[in-house]
Amino acid sequence: MLNLVVLISGAGSNLRSLLEACRDAEYPARVVAIGADRDADGLELGEEYGISTFTVPFTSHPSREAWGDELLAQIQLWDADLVVLSGFMRLLPPRVVAALTPNLLNTHPAYLPEFPGAHGVRDALAAGVAETGASLIVVDTGVDDGPVIAQERVPVLPGDTQASLHERIKIVERRLLVQAVLDIANGHVDLKEHSHI
Ligand code: GAR
């Protein structure tokens, strides 16, 4: 059984897909804790699914490093096999990444290396591309430039808004995430082989 800690900043709709997958007794992973950097809406999923939550507010720490150290301490309490950033909108300090990688995944709403950063959907729309995508990567110390574990193209359709395109991308993200966790748990994907650092 693969134990997961999932970090969020927002609604946690991708997290919900993972929690639904984990309800299946045959699925070899479970979420042991949900963490956030703010009072994220998705923390309510903890109550709904009976899972512990923790919040380490970025704004109540004197530096990114101090915040990161506290976040890492909270994560390590759970002895997780894998940490998933699922809409976690803060850059982790290098020593947090170093402590967790390669067992640290991030979902991203674009076909990396295209459109990295916090506005992957907006940037793809602004660029006028015909297709963008969804990616799942191992987090390393760069911004969205870690090894790609899974990715898939998603079309941009006429009349798309940021919301409609993002929702189409998230449908793919959820499938990639649930499948990748399964593959890692079953040993079909070895994250150590995908590590840059
Ligand atoms: C997802 O699309 C995820 O890839 C993105 O935030 C969304 C979270 O949605 N993450 C990033 O943009 C990270 N740079 P959710 O809260 O509904 O799961």
Side-chain angles (χ1 to χ4, degrees):
M1 184 63 73
L2 200 72
N3 287 338
L4 313 176
V5 167
V6 180
L7 301 185
I8 60 169
S9 298
S13 68
N14 289 358
L15 164 62
R16 183 186 284 282
S17 295
L18 201 49
L19 291 167
E20 282 298 315
C22 293
R23 274 191 161 158
D24 181 347
E26 303 284 303
Y27 191 75
R30 63 178 173 189
V31 178
V32 293
I34 301 165
D37 63 319
R38 64 192 78 177
D39 190 17
D41 288 347
L43 286 169
E44 289 174 6
L45 293 170
E47 197 168 328
E48 189 177 335
Y49 287 82
I51 293 164
S52 297
T53 62
F54 60 88
T55 306
V56 184
F58 184 78
T59 45
S60 45
H61 290 79
S63 66
R64 180 176 296 276
E65 285 65 34
W67 166 76
D69 289 347
E70 172 63 17
L71 183 68
L72 181 61
Q74 290 288 330
I75 292 168
Q76 286 176 332
L77 287 177
W78 296 96
D79 206 19
D81 303 298
L82 183 66
V83 177
V84 179
L85 308 184
S86 186
F88 190 67
M89 303 306 284
R90 297 266 180 209
L91 280 182
L92 294 174
R95 60 178 177 244
V96 177
V97 174
L100 299 174
T101 198
N103 301 308
L104 180 61
L105 299 184
N106 183 35
T107 61
H108 185 75
Y111 199 88
L112 292 169
E114 299 168 7
F115 311 115
H119 304 289
V121 181
R122 186 191 73 186
D123 294 349
L125 262 186
V129 292
E131 53 180 15
T132 177
S135 303
L136 187 65
I137 62 169
V138 173
V139 180
D140 64 17
T141 46
V143 177
D144 294 331
D145 64 354
V148 173
I149 298 302
Q151 63 184 169
E152 202 172 301
R153 285 290 183 186
V154 175
V156 180
L157 300 181
D160 254 341
T161 61
Q162 207 170 304
S164 65
L165 178 57
H166 201 169
E167 192 48 40
R168 189 176 314 114
I169 292 170
K170 283 197 207 181
I171 290 167
V172 176
E173 283 187 86
R174 292 168 192 142
R175 178 163 43 74
L176 294 182
L177 179 59
V178 168
Q179 183 64 46
V181 168
L182 178 64
D183 290 343
I184 293 163
N186 286 338
H188 296 147
V189 169
D190 182 357
L191 292 177
K192 286 194 283 301
E193 289 174 7
H194 292 276
S195 181
H196 285 161
I197 54 178

PDB file of all heavy atoms in Angstrom, residues 92-116:
ATOM      1  N   LEU A  92       8.427  25.204  -3.633  1.00  0.00           N
ATOM      2  CA  LEU A  92       9.035  24.630  -2.428  1.00  0.00           C
ATOM      3  C   LEU A  92      10.505  25.027  -2.371  1.00  0.00           C
ATOM      4  O   LEU A  92      11.198  24.991  -3.396  1.00  0.00           O
ATOM      5  CB  LEU A  92       8.922  23.108  -2.455  1.00  0.00           C
ATOM      6  CG  LEU A  92       7.511  22.541  -2.363  1.00  0.00           C
ATOM      7  CD1 LEU A  92       7.544  21.018  -2.551  1.00  0.00           C
ATOM      8  CD2 LEU A  92       6.868  22.898  -1.026  1.00  0.00           C
ATOM      9  N   PRO A  93      11.020  25.385  -1.190  1.00  0.00           N
ATOM     10  CA  PRO A  93      12.450  25.693  -1.062  1.00  0.00           C
ATOM     11  C   PRO A  93      13.288  24.468  -1.428  1.00  0.00           C
ATOM     12  O   PRO A  93      12.850  23.329  -1.225  1.00  0.00           O
ATOM     13  CB  PRO A  93      12.620  26.029   0.420  1.00  0.00           C
ATOM     14  CG  PRO A  93      11.248  26.326   0.933  1.00  0.00           C
ATOM     15  CD  PRO A  93      10.305  25.536   0.088  1.00  0.00           C
ATOM     16  N   PRO A  94      14.500  24.704  -1.943  1.00  0.00           N
ATOM     17  CA  PRO A  94      15.350  23.590  -2.401  1.00  0.00           C
ATOM     18  C   PRO A  94      15.541  22.495  -1.361  1.00  0.00           C
ATOM     19  O   PRO A  94      15.578  21.317  -1.697  1.00  0.00           O
ATOM     20  CB  PRO A  94      16.686  24.273  -2.727  1.00  0.00           C
ATOM     21  CG  PRO A  94      16.299  25.672  -3.083  1.00  0.00           C
ATOM     22  CD  PRO A  94      15.109  26.015  -2.232  1.00  0.00           C
ATOM     23  N   ARG A  95      15.654  22.840  -0.071  1.00  0.00           N
ATOM     24  CA  ARG A  95      15.921  21.749   0.878  1.00  0.00           C
ATOM     25  C   ARG A  95      14.698  20.873   1.109  1.00  0.00           C
ATOM     26  O   ARG A  95      14.841  19.697   1.460  1.00  0.00           O
ATOM     27  CB  ARG A  95      16.570  22.210   2.172  1.00  0.00           C
ATOM     28  CG  ARG A  95      15.846  23.186   3.031  1.00  0.00           C
ATOM     29  CD  ARG A  95      16.705  23.439   4.299  1.00  0.00           C
ATOM     30  NE  ARG A  95      16.106  24.423   5.167  1.00  0.00           N
ATOM     31  CZ  ARG A  95      16.665  25.605   5.441  1.00  0.00           C
ATOM     32  NH1 ARG A  95      17.821  25.926   4.936  1.00  0.00           N
ATOM     33  NH2 ARG A  95      16.046  26.454   6.235  1.00  0.00           N
ATOM     34  N   VAL A  96      13.509  21.400   0.882  1.00  0.00           N
ATOM     35  CA  VAL A  96      12.306  20.561   0.964  1.00  0.00           C
ATOM     36  C   VAL A  96      12.276  19.613  -0.238  1.00  0.00           C
ATOM     37  O   VAL A  96      12.026  18.414  -0.104  1.00  0.00           O
ATOM     38  CB  VAL A  96      11.027  21.431   1.004  1.00  0.00           C
ATOM     39  CG1 VAL A  96       9.781  20.556   1.024  1.00  0.00           C
ATOM     40  CG2 VAL A  96      11.058  22.359   2.214  1.00  0.00           C
ATOM     41  N   VAL A  97      12.578  20.166  -1.408  1.00  0.00           N
ATOM     42  CA  VAL A  97      12.609  19.336  -2.615  1.00  0.00           C
ATOM     43  C   VAL A  97      13.666  18.238  -2.452  1.00  0.00           C
ATOM     44  O   VAL A  97      13.403  17.061  -2.723  1.00  0.00           O
ATOM     45  CB  VAL A  97      12.918  20.199  -3.863  1.00  0.00           C
ATOM     46  CG1 VAL A  97      13.101  19.314  -5.091  1.00  0.00           C
ATOM     47  CG2 VAL A  97      11.800  21.208  -4.089  1.00  0.00           C
ATOM     48  N   ALA A  98      14.849  18.616  -1.987  1.00  0.00           N
ATOM     49  CA  ALA A  98      15.936  17.645  -1.841  1.00  0.00           C
ATOM     50  C   ALA A  98      15.550  16.522  -0.879  1.00  0.00           C
ATOM     51  O   ALA A  98      15.914  15.364  -1.078  1.00  0.00           O
ATOM     52  CB  ALA A  98      17.202  18.351  -1.364  1.00  0.00           C
ATOM     53  N   ALA A  99      14.786  16.855   0.159  1.00  0.00           N
ATOM     54  CA  ALA A  99      14.397  15.841   1.156  1.00  0.00           C
ATOM     55  C   ALA A  99      13.363  14.870   0.594  1.00  0.00           C
ATOM     56  O   ALA A  99      13.297  13.725   1.050  1.00  0.00           O
ATOM     57  CB  ALA A  99      13.834  16.534   2.399  1.00  0.00           C
ATOM     58  N   LEU A 100      12.583  15.294  -0.385  1.00  0.00           N
ATOM     59  CA  LEU A 100      11.448  14.471  -0.836  1.00  0.00           C
ATOM     60  C   LEU A 100      11.628  13.853  -2.223  1.00  0.00           C
ATOM     61  O   LEU A 100      11.081  12.782  -2.492  1.00  0.00           O
ATOM     62  CB  LEU A 100      10.162  15.306  -0.827  1.00  0.00           C
ATOM     63  CG  LEU A 100       9.736  15.867   0.530  1.00  0.00           C
ATOM     64  CD1 LEU A 100       8.530  16.790   0.352  1.00  0.00           C
ATOM     65  CD2 LEU A 100       9.404  14.749   1.518  1.00  0.00           C
ATOM     66  N   THR A 101      12.337  14.545  -3.112  1.00  0.00           N
ATOM     67  CA  THR A 101      12.459  14.026  -4.468  1.00  0.00           C
ATOM     68  C   THR A 101      13.257  12.727  -4.460  1.00  0.00           C
ATOM     69  O   THR A 101      14.149  12.582  -3.606  1.00  0.00           O
ATOM     70  CB  THR A 101      13.116  15.104  -5.393  1.00  0.00           C
ATOM     71  OG1 THR A 101      12.839  14.763  -6.737  1.00  0.00           O
ATOM     72  CG2 THR A 101      14.588  15.228  -5.163  1.00  0.00           C
ATOM     73  N   PRO A 102      12.964  11.723  -5.294  1.00  0.00           N
ATOM     74  CA  PRO A 102      12.052  11.762  -6.430  1.00  0.00           C
ATOM     75  C   PRO A 102      10.610  11.390  -6.072  1.00  0.00           C
ATOM     76  O   PRO A 102       9.777  11.288  -6.964  1.00  0.00           O
ATOM     77  CB  PRO A 102      12.643  10.723  -7.375  1.00  0.00           C
ATOM     78  CG  PRO A 102      13.191   9.677  -6.442  1.00  0.00           C
ATOM     79  CD  PRO A 102      13.712  10.444  -5.249  1.00  0.00           C
ATOM     80  N   ASN A 103      10.347  11.213  -4.786  1.00  0.00           N
ATOM     81  CA  ASN A 103       8.984  10.807  -4.394  1.00  0.00           C
ATOM     82  C   ASN A 103       8.103  12.044  -4.182  1.00  0.00           C
ATOM     83  O   ASN A 103       7.424  12.191  -3.157  1.00  0.00           O
ATOM     84  CB  ASN A 103       9.041   9.942  -3.132  1.00  0.00           C
ATOM     85  CG  ASN A 103       9.875   8.705  -3.363  1.00  0.00           C
ATOM     86  OD1 ASN A 103       9.654   7.977  -4.319  1.00  0.00           O
ATOM     87  ND2 ASN A 103      10.870   8.490  -2.515  1.00  0.00           N
ATOM     88  N   LEU A 104       8.148  12.919  -5.153  1.00  0.00           N
ATOM     89  CA  LEU A 104       7.460  14.214  -5.095  1.00  0.00           C
ATOM     90  C   LEU A 104       6.964  14.544  -6.500  1.00  0.00           C
ATOM     91  O   LEU A 104       7.768  14.824  -7.403  1.00  0.00           O
ATOM     92  CB  LEU A 104       8.449  15.281  -4.597  1.00  0.00           C
ATOM     93  CG  LEU A 104       7.946  16.708  -4.469  1.00  0.00           C
ATOM     94  CD1 LEU A 104       6.802  16.813  -3.471  1.00  0.00           C
ATOM     95  CD2 LEU A 104       9.103  17.630  -4.035  1.00  0.00           C
ATOM     96  N   LEU A 105       5.653  14.470  -6.688  1.00  0.00           N
ATOM     97  CA  LEU A 105       5.061  14.689  -8.017  1.00  0.00           C
ATOM     98  C   LEU A 105       4.278  15.992  -8.046  1.00  0.00           C
ATOM     99  O   LEU A 105       3.755  16.436  -7.023  1.00  0.00           O
ATOM    100  CB  LEU A 105       4.105  13.542  -8.379  1.00  0.00           C
ATOM    101  CG  LEU A 105       4.674  12.135  -8.474  1.00  0.00           C
ATOM    102  CD1 LEU A 105       3.575  11.173  -8.938  1.00  0.00           C
ATOM    103  CD2 LEU A 105       5.858  12.081  -9.438  1.00  0.00           C
ATOM    104  N   ASN A 106       4.188  16.568  -9.246  1.00  0.00           N
ATOM    105  CA  ASN A 106       3.392  17.779  -9.440  1.00  0.00           C
ATOM    106  C   ASN A 106       2.541  17.619 -10.697  1.00  0.00           C
ATOM    107  O   ASN A 106       3.033  17.166 -11.724  1.00  0.00           O
ATOM    108  CB  ASN A 106       4.320  18.990  -9.613  1.00  0.00           C
ATOM    109  CG  ASN A 106       3.551  20.294  -9.749  1.00  0.00           C
ATOM    110  OD1 ASN A 106       2.501  20.487  -9.130  1.00  0.00           O
ATOM    111  ND2 ASN A 106       4.076  21.198 -10.555  1.00  0.00           N
ATOM    112  N   THR A 107       1.265  17.993 -10.584  1.00  0.00           N
ATOM    113  CA  THR A 107       0.423  18.041 -11.777  1.00  0.00           C
ATOM    114  C   THR A 107       0.523  19.443 -12.353  1.00  0.00           C
ATOM    115  O   THR A 107       0.590  20.433 -11.615  1.00  0.00           O
ATOM    116  CB  THR A 107      -1.053  17.752 -11.435  1.00  0.00           C
ATOM    117  OG1 THR A 107      -1.528  18.740 -10.525  1.00  0.00           O
ATOM    118  CG2 THR A 107      -1.217  16.379 -10.804  1.00  0.00           C
ATOM    119  N   HIS A 108       0.510  19.528 -13.684  1.00  0.00           N
ATOM    120  CA  HIS A 108       0.612  20.848 -14.322  1.00  0.00           C
ATOM    121  C   HIS A 108      -0.326  20.911 -15.524  1.00  0.00           C
ATOM    122  O   HIS A 108      -0.330  19.990 -16.347  1.00  0.00           O
ATOM    123  CB  HIS A 108       2.054  21.129 -14.748  1.00  0.00           C
ATOM    124  CG  HIS A 108       2.225  22.510 -15.291  1.00  0.00           C
ATOM    125  ND1 HIS A 108       2.251  23.623 -14.476  1.00  0.00           N
ATOM    126  CD2 HIS A 108       2.312  22.970 -16.562  1.00  0.00           C
ATOM    127  CE1 HIS A 108       2.368  24.708 -15.232  1.00  0.00           C
ATOM    128  NE2 HIS A 108       2.393  24.331 -16.502  1.00  0.00           N
ATOM    129  N   PRO A 109      -1.083  22.021 -15.646  1.00  0.00           N
ATOM    130  CA  PRO A 109      -2.089  22.102 -16.708  1.00  0.00           C
ATOM    131  C   PRO A 109      -1.538  22.612 -18.042  1.00  0.00           C
ATOM    132  O   PRO A 109      -2.065  23.561 -18.610  1.00  0.00           O
ATOM    133  CB  PRO A 109      -3.127  23.064 -16.113  1.00  0.00           C
ATOM    134  CG  PRO A 109      -2.296  23.994 -15.283  1.00  0.00           C
ATOM    135  CD  PRO A 109      -1.165  23.167 -14.732  1.00  0.00           C
ATOM    136  N   ALA A 110      -0.477  21.983 -18.528  1.00  0.00           N
ATOM    137  CA  ALA A 110       0.083  22.292 -19.854  1.00  0.00           C
ATOM    138  C   ALA A 110       0.997  21.132 -20.242  1.00  0.00           C
ATOM    139  O   ALA A 110       1.317  20.276 -19.407  1.00  0.00           O
ATOM    140  CB  ALA A 110       0.862  23.602 -19.834  1.00  0.00           C
ATOM    141  N   TYR A 111       1.396  21.143 -21.502  1.00  0.00           N
ATOM    142  CA  TYR A 111       2.256  20.070 -22.010  1.00  0.00           C
ATOM    143  C   TYR A 111       3.705  20.537 -21.848  1.00  0.00           C
ATOM    144  O   TYR A 111       4.290  21.122 -22.744  1.00  0.00           O
ATOM    145  CB  TYR A 111       1.912  19.789 -23.478  1.00  0.00           C
ATOM    146  CG  TYR A 111       2.387  18.449 -24.001  1.00  0.00           C
ATOM    147  CD1 TYR A 111       1.596  17.312 -23.865  1.00  0.00           C
ATOM    148  CD2 TYR A 111       3.619  18.327 -24.645  1.00  0.00           C
ATOM    149  CE1 TYR A 111       2.019  16.083 -24.351  1.00  0.00           C
ATOM    150  CE2 TYR A 111       4.048  17.103 -25.136  1.00  0.00           C
ATOM    151  CZ  TYR A 111       3.235  15.987 -24.988  1.00  0.00           C
ATOM    152  OH  TYR A 111       3.651  14.756 -25.474  1.00  0.00           O
ATOM    153  N   LEU A 112       4.253  20.294 -20.647  1.00  0.00           N
ATOM    154  CA  LEU A 112       5.609  20.770 -20.353  1.00  0.00           C
ATOM    155  C   LEU A 112       6.612  20.167 -21.340  1.00  0.00           C
ATOM    156  O   LEU A 112       6.420  19.033 -21.770  1.00  0.00           O
ATOM    157  CB  LEU A 112       5.975  20.392 -18.901  1.00  0.00           C
ATOM    158  CG  LEU A 112       5.177  21.147 -17.837  1.00  0.00           C
ATOM    159  CD1 LEU A 112       5.400  20.530 -16.454  1.00  0.00           C
ATOM    160  CD2 LEU A 112       5.549  22.637 -17.826  1.00  0.00           C
ATOM    161  N   PRO A 113       7.660  20.903 -21.754  1.00  0.00           N
ATOM    162  CA  PRO A 113       8.105  22.176 -21.188  1.00  0.00           C
ATOM    163  C   PRO A 113       7.332  23.406 -21.680  1.00  0.00           C
ATOM    164  O   PRO A 113       7.742  24.532 -21.356  1.00  0.00           O
ATOM    165  CB  PRO A 113       9.578  22.237 -21.602  1.00  0.00           C
ATOM    166  CG  PRO A 113       9.628  21.492 -22.884  1.00  0.00           C
ATOM    167  CD  PRO A 113       8.616  20.382 -22.755  1.00  0.00           C
ATOM    168  N   GLU A 114       6.251  23.227 -22.415  1.00  0.00           N
ATOM    169  CA  GLU A 114       5.474  24.397 -22.825  1.00  0.00           C
ATOM    170  C   GLU A 114       4.742  24.974 -21.606  1.00  0.00           C
ATOM    171  O   GLU A 114       4.207  24.226 -20.790  1.00  0.00           O
ATOM    172  CB  GLU A 114       4.417  23.992 -23.854  1.00  0.00           C
ATOM    173  CG  GLU A 114       4.967  23.396 -25.136  1.00  0.00           C
ATOM    174  CD  GLU A 114       3.884  22.760 -25.992  1.00  0.00           C
ATOM    175  OE1 GLU A 114       2.682  22.887 -25.662  1.00  0.00           O
ATOM    176  OE2 GLU A 114       4.254  22.086 -26.967  1.00  0.00           O
ATOM    177  N   PHE A 115       4.658  26.273 -21.501  1.00  0.00           N
ATOM    178  CA  PHE A 115       3.848  26.999 -20.534  1.00  0.00           C
ATOM    179  C   PHE A 115       4.034  26.552 -19.076  1.00  0.00           C
ATOM    180  O   PHE A 115       3.092  26.128 -18.408  1.00  0.00           O
ATOM    181  CB  PHE A 115       2.365  26.917 -20.919  1.00  0.00           C
ATOM    182  CG  PHE A 115       2.122  27.264 -22.358  1.00  0.00           C
ATOM    183  CD1 PHE A 115       1.632  26.330 -23.257  1.00  0.00           C
ATOM    184  CD2 PHE A 115       2.422  28.540 -22.826  1.00  0.00           C
ATOM    185  CE1 PHE A 115       1.439  26.645 -24.594  1.00  0.00           C
ATOM    186  CE2 PHE A 115       2.225  28.872 -24.176  1.00  0.00           C
ATOM    187  CZ  PHE A 115       1.727  27.919 -25.050  1.00  0.00           C
ATOM    188  N   PRO A 116       5.276  26.642 -18.569  1.00  0.00           N
ATOM    189  CA  PRO A 116       5.501  26.362 -17.145  1.00  0.00           C
ATOM    190  C   PRO A 116       4.974  27.517 -16.286  1.00  0.00           C
ATOM    191  O   PRO A 116       4.575  28.557 -16.817  1.00  0.00           O
ATOM    192  CB  PRO A 116       7.031  26.271 -17.055  1.00  0.00           C
ATOM    193  CG  PRO A 116       7.512  27.185 -18.144  1.00  0.00           C
ATOM    194  CD  PRO A 116       6.497  27.062 -19.270  1.00  0.00           C
TER     195      PRO A 116
END
